[in-house]
């Protein structure tokens, strides 16, 4: 038995100074699951992480965690200090895009390409490619959570061993994330009546007081309501000052609900989601939107979201809630559609897999590892990042219950191929080989 040391930029909540709590993000969930596999192999995991505040030491989830204060302009120095303090063989669990001096014989993990911003300077992207080459030269193996990083390494870097970059996609516990029990919804007759009333109401309103489908006349808008939305990318429903009367709509057993199960952050698409929400909430009086994810209090994005929510004319239909890893299934079971509107920096999204496993239709942007999971029109909808196409896709699903149910069925079938049991087996094999080569020669240092 020996210690295995995981080095990362985040595990417990160093963003909000809540050091004893595991932060609710995909990276942190990944490390928690990895620690479980390490224990099953008879070893002791420990985590070394960056701290946005002071250095700290804590113990959570039966894991010793060490936090390091650092200079944001010198992340490699912080990783060097973590590696020096590590009590066992080292796994670099993040920041491979940094120019790190790797401890010989170590393992690395890439959670997705985070430099896939079109506007990022070419010089910066070229530097990142050089840093990834350092990782390939300095690490015995890199585990990638999606095919995109693996392809990047083959296209932009050099390495001799084809097995040096191992693809192990993220996974989901399909026995826990199961579809919700059936619940009452609109009957077909009610749904047809609702749509007919909506179109009549649309026709009776002036363009400056009602719901406008941009760029279309009222007649064209009514025709569009009967059309297939599959080719709709730039037209979307936008509230101007909607006066749709709620009593025109038969009341369902509960409102339709869109779920955004992501961190409130720029890269996760919070801005496109807020813009889409503005339009959808004005156009669909029976719609609720839930934002279920961590928020860094005091950050620019966090403060902007709080202000938007607090002052929104439909704030009573906007829900913001943070769930523990073990409770998030409740959010999926209350949702009709899940949205993964990532702008950049996405691996194999846990949230996407969880929604699919729960049989929820997903609208996702075609970024990173989301392309590995979603086949557009088969088990979800893929759109380019941004609010226009996102809004159009959501309108399509809000209008078509049969399409939601069809996509949800195939989403669940897809998720079964990403079951957590397979992930654990693959990681066990990688760890057994890695630890055998390392020989746990450093043992446990006090």
């Amino acid at each position: 038995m020996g210690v295995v040391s995981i080095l990362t930029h985040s595990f417990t909540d160093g963003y909000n100074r809540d050091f004893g709590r595991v932060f609710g993000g995909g990276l942190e969930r990944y490390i928690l699951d990895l620690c479980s596999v390490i224990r099953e192999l008879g070893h002791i995991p420990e985590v070394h992480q960056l701290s946005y505040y002071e250095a700290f030491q804590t113990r959570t989830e039966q894991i010793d965690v060490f936090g390091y204060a650092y200079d944001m302009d010198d992340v490699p120095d912080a990783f060097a200090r973590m590696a020096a303090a590590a009590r066992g063989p080292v796994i670099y669990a993040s920041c491979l895009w940094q120019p790190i001096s790797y401890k010989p014989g170590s393992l690395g993990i890439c959670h997705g390409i985070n430099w896939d911003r079109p506007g990022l300077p070419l010089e910066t992207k070229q530097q990142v490619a050089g840093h990834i080459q350092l990782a390939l030269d300095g690490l015995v193996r890199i585990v990638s959570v999606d095919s995109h990083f693996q392809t990047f390494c083959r296209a932009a870097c050099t390495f001799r061993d084809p097995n040096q970059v191992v693809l192990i996609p993220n996974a989901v516990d399909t026995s826990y994330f199961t579809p919700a029990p059936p619940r009452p919804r609109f009957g077909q007759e009610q749904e047809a009546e609702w749509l007919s009333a909506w179109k009549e109401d649309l026709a009776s309103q002036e363009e400056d007081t009602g719901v406008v489908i941009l760029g279309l006349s009222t007649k064209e808008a009514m025709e569009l309501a009967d059309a297939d939305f599959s080719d709709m990318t730039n037209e979307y429903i936008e509230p101007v000052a909607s006066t749709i009367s709620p009593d025109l709509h038969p009341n369902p057993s509960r409102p339709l609900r869109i779920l955004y199960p992501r961190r409130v952050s720029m890269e996760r698409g919070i801005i496109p989601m807020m813009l889409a929400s503005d339009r959808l909430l004005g156009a669909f009086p029976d719609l609720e939107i839930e934002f279920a994810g961590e928020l860094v209090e005091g950050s620019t994005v966090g403060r902007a979201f709080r202000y938007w929510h607090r002052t929104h004319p439909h704030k009573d239909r906007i829900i913001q809630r943070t769930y523990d890893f073990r409770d998030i299934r409740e959010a999926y079971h209350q949702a009709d559609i899940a949205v993964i509107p990532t702008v950049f920096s996405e691996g194999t999204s846990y949230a996407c897999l969880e929604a699919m496993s729960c049989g929820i239709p997903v609208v996702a942007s075609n970024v990173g590892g989301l392309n590995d999971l979603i086949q557009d029109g088969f088990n979800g909808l893929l759109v380019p990042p941004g609010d226009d196409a996102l809004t159009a896709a959501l309108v399509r699903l809000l209008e078509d219950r049969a399409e939601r149910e069809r996509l949800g069925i195939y989403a669940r079938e897809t998720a079964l191929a990403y079951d957590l049991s397979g992930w654990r087996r693959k990681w066990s094999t990688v760890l057994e080989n890695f630890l055998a080569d390392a020989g746990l020669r450093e043992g446990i240092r006090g």
Side-chain angles (χ1 to χ4, degrees):
M1 176 184 288
V3 169
V4 179
S5 304
I6 299 173
L7 279 52
T8 179
H9 72 274
S10 176
F11 182 55
T12 63
D13 189 359
Y15 302 104
N16 297 299
R17 223 174 197 160
D18 191 359
F19 301 131
R21 182 183 75 94
V22 176
F23 190 72
L27 167 66
E28 296 79 10
R29 173 100 58 92
Y30 192 102
I31 291 173
L32 201 57
D33 287 340
L34 184 57
C35 287
S36 175
V37 177
I38 291 170
R39 281 200 203 90
E40 284 187 355
L41 295 176
H43 302 294
I44 302 170
E46 66 175 17
V47 174
H48 299 256
Q49 70 168 85
L50 304 184
S51 171
Y52 284 86
Y53 300 97
E54 67 275 11
F56 67 88
Q57 180 175 347
T58 188
R59 185 172 175 81
T60 185
E61 301 286 344
Q62 301 180 322
I63 302 166
D64 287 327
V65 183
F66 306 88
Y68 297 73
Y70 74 107
D71 182 342
M72 294 188 68
D73 294 325
D74 197 358
V75 171
D77 171 72
F79 271 82
R81 288 186 282 123
M82 288 193 282
R87 298 183 295 172
V90 170
I91 300 175
Y92 290 84
S94 69
C95 294
L96 301 191
W97 57 91
Q98 294 279 351
I100 294 171
S101 295
Y102 295 97
K103 188 173 183 178
S106 298
L107 186 70
I109 305 171
C110 183
H111 297 273
I113 292 174
N114 74 343
W115 55 95
D116 55 343
R117 284 166 275 179
L120 201 65
L122 179 60
E123 180 183 359
T124 301
K125 294 188 177 185
Q126 291 172 336
Q127 288 175 347
V128 169
H131 300 162
I132 298 302
Q133 186 65 60
L134 288 176
L136 288 164
D137 293 341
L139 296 168
V140 295
R141 186 154 292 159
I142 299 175
V143 172
S144 175
V145 306
D146 65 20
S147 66
H148 294 253
F149 176 75
Q150 189 178 54
T151 300
F152 175 86
C153 290
R154 290 170 175 166
C157 304
T158 60
F159 54 100
R160 293 183 178 180
D161 182 0
N163 296 314
Q164 188 175 358
V165 182
V166 180
L167 176 61
I168 305 181
N170 287 349
V172 60
D173 185 349
T174 59
S175 66
Y176 177 75
F177 288 98
T178 55
R183 59 197 173 208
R185 299 190 181 184
F186 271 155
Q188 290 185 350
E189 184 176 338
Q190 287 179 305
E191 197 165 75
E193 182 182 350
W194 181 92
L195 184 58
S196 175
W198 179 78
K199 289 190 291 184
E200 289 176 9
D201 185 70
L202 177 66
S204 69
Q205 296 183 59
E206 296 294 332
E207 288 190 351
D208 61 345
T209 60
V211 173
V212 180
I213 298 183
L214 297 186
L216 302 177
S217 66
T218 300
K219 180 176 182 297
E220 290 170 327
M222 293 176 65
E223 292 173 351
L224 184 59
D226 291 321
D228 181 0
F229 283 82
S230 59
D231 295 325
M232 179 177 172
T233 57
N234 294 317
E235 298 86 6
Y236 51 84
I237 294 179
E238 177 176 351
V240 178
S242 178
T243 57
I244 294 179
S245 173
D247 59 9
L248 289 175
H249 305 277
N251 290 323
S253 58
R254 64 169 186 82
L256 287 171
R257 179 175 291 188
I258 294 173
L259 176 68
Y260 169 91
R262 323 286 345 255
R263 293 198 312 273
V264 176
S265 62
M266 289 292 292
E267 71 276 10
R268 293 296 178 246
I270 187 60
I271 300 302
M273 188 62 203
M274 290 162 64
L275 292 171
S277 298
D278 288 342
R279 296 162 183 146
L280 295 170
L281 289 167
F284 294 90
D286 294 319
L287 175 67
E288 295 178 342
I289 299 179
E290 179 174 6
F291 294 81
E294 294 276 5
L295 184 151
V296 178
E297 298 291 353
S299 66
T300 301
V301 174
R303 285 187 286 111
F305 177 83
R306 292 289 193 209
Y307 179 81
W308 173 80
H309 188 186
R310 186 172 64 251
T311 60
H312 202 282
H314 303 294
K315 63 182 179 182
D316 58 321
R317 291 188 284 128
I318 299 172
I319 304 160
Q320 196 276 320
R321 191 177 304 159
T322 299
Y323 292 83
D324 183 84
F325 296 138
R326 301 164 185 85
D327 300 327
I328 187 64
R329 183 178 65 173
E330 174 189 342
Y332 296 115
H333 282 182
Q334 297 301 316
D336 298 279
I337 303 167
V339 187
I340 314 292
T342 305
V343 178
F344 64 92
S345 186
E346 185 68 81
T348 308
S349 166
Y350 278 116
C352 186
L353 281 169
E354 289 166 355
M356 294 173 73
S357 188
C358 287
I360 305 298
V362 175
V363 176
S365 54
N366 56 0
V367 173
L370 293 170
N371 295 300
D372 289 345
L373 300 177
I374 300 293
Q375 297 297 312
D376 185 42
F378 172 68
N379 58 0
L381 299 180
L382 278 178
V383 297
D387 59 290
D388 289 3
L390 177 66
T391 307
L394 289 169
V395 168
R396 172 181 169 181
L397 292 188
L398 287 169
E399 294 285 1
D400 193 339
R401 183 185 65 176
E403 179 78 342
R404 295 197 304 269
E405 293 180 349
R406 183 184 69 81
L407 293 176
I409 289 170
Y410 289 112
R412 169 67 182 178
E413 291 296 312
T414 302
L416 293 174
Y418 291 85
D419 186 71
L420 184 61
S421 59
W423 181 90
R424 298 180 74 89
R425 283 195 303 272
K426 292 174 183 176
W427 252 113
S428 292
T429 299
V430 169
L431 283 171
E432 284 173 345
N433 292 332
F434 166 62
L435 296 176
D437 291 341
L440 283 177
R441 52 184 173 272
E442 296 188 34
I444 300 177
R445 297 207 305 267

